[in-house]
Amino acid sequence: MDSSLIIYPMQEMIDEIHSETQRVNSKTGESVHEGSRSFVLVVMSHGAKGSIIGSDDVHVEISDMLDLLSPKNFPAMKGKPKIIIVQACAGRKYIT
């Protein structure tokens, strides 16, 4: 995945995260993350309490996004540190 700034509709962002967790080496069939020691995901977007909002105004629960990085869904990173940074407001109601 390219680390440059990308603006995604929500489903495309979720699909991209899922695709990254499933990438395999075409020669060995092993996950490209097998030798990795950690995984970092940074999401910057608008938000509401407990969710982030894509460029298409679709909300997704942060917990659903994090589930994509669980050992069940991302076995190559089981037991390894995963750093997830979400920079998003929590909606007007929560601004003080």
Side-chain angles (χ1 to χ4, degrees), residues 45-92:
S45 187
H46 291 285
K49 186 168 183 168
S51 67
I52 56 174
I53 305 169
S55 63
D56 52 0
D57 289 328
V58 173
H59 292 240
V60 68
E61 294 295 317
I62 293 172
S63 60
D64 292 341
M65 183 180 64
L66 296 179
D67 187 55
L68 295 171
L69 305 176
S70 70
K72 180 182 117 200
N73 293 319
F74 196 7
M77 292 305 294
K78 181 178 181 179
K80 299 176 184 177
K82 289 164 274 305
I83 301 166
I84 296 91
I85 300 169
V86 177
Q87 194 287 311
C89 64
R92 290 186 187 278

Side-chain angles (χ1 to χ4, degrees), residues 1-16 42-46 52-58:
M1 180 188 297
D2 189 334
S3 62
S4 60
L5 178 64
I6 303 170
I7 299 172
Y8 283 116
M10 188 52 66
Q11 188 58 52
E12 191 174 329
M13 183 192 75
I14 295 298
D15 291 346
E16 188 68 30
V42 178
V43 177
M44 300 174 70
S45 187
H46 291 285
I52 56 174
I53 305 169
S55 63
D56 52 0
D57 289 328
V58 173

Side-chain angles (χ1 to χ4, degrees), residues 21-35 75-76:
T21 66
Q22 304 304 307
R23 284 184 41 216
V24 295
N25 181 312
S26 61
K27 292 181 181 180
T28 66
E30 286 186 348
S31 169
V32 298
H33 298 288
E34 203 63 48

